[in-house]
Amino acid sequence: HLPPGWFDLAVRKKLLLVVEGASDTAACYGAGVSAIGIPALRAGREHLTELLAPLPDFVKVVMVAERDEKPDGFWPGLIGSRDTAKALADELGRPVGWALI
């Protein structure tokens, strides 16, 4: 999910959030925060690398996951955001953060 103007807004605000799904993307966009949405935080790393590569280094990129810990202790949001942030940081040669909401 790529809202119109996401790139320019990210540059202006010096921040881009990578969130899960269209509703999270829309909520960020409505609040004036640049965000792009992906189906899952472990999906589409190649596409994310292509999308994020042109961003200036001063734009902070943060993977944002929901607190979705399962009864058995498995935590897909935490694992996905952390692993994808590390992979993107390695591929892009820049810091990529992660956070839980």
Side-chain angles (χ1 to χ4, degrees), residues 21 31 84 96:
T84 301
V96 176

Side-chain angles (χ1 to χ4, degrees), residues 3-67:
W6 70 270
F7 188 94
D8 293 336
L9 183 59
V11 171
R12 223 172 35 251
K13 299 283 185 164
K14 300 179 183 163
L15 175 67
L16 174 69
L17 303 181
V18 181
V19 299
E20 289 185 285
S23 61
D24 288 356
T25 307
C28 290
Y29 190 71
V33 177
S34 183
I36 58 175
I38 56 178
L41 290 175
R42 298 187 87 151
R45 287 184 190 162
E46 304 82 27
H47 298 294
L48 281 175
T49 301
E50 291 175 28
L51 280 173
L52 302 180
L55 280 173
D57 288 340
F58 64 80
V59 176
K60 273 186 130 173
V61 177
V62 180
M63 305 294 299
V64 180
E66 297 173 4
R67 294 181 178 270

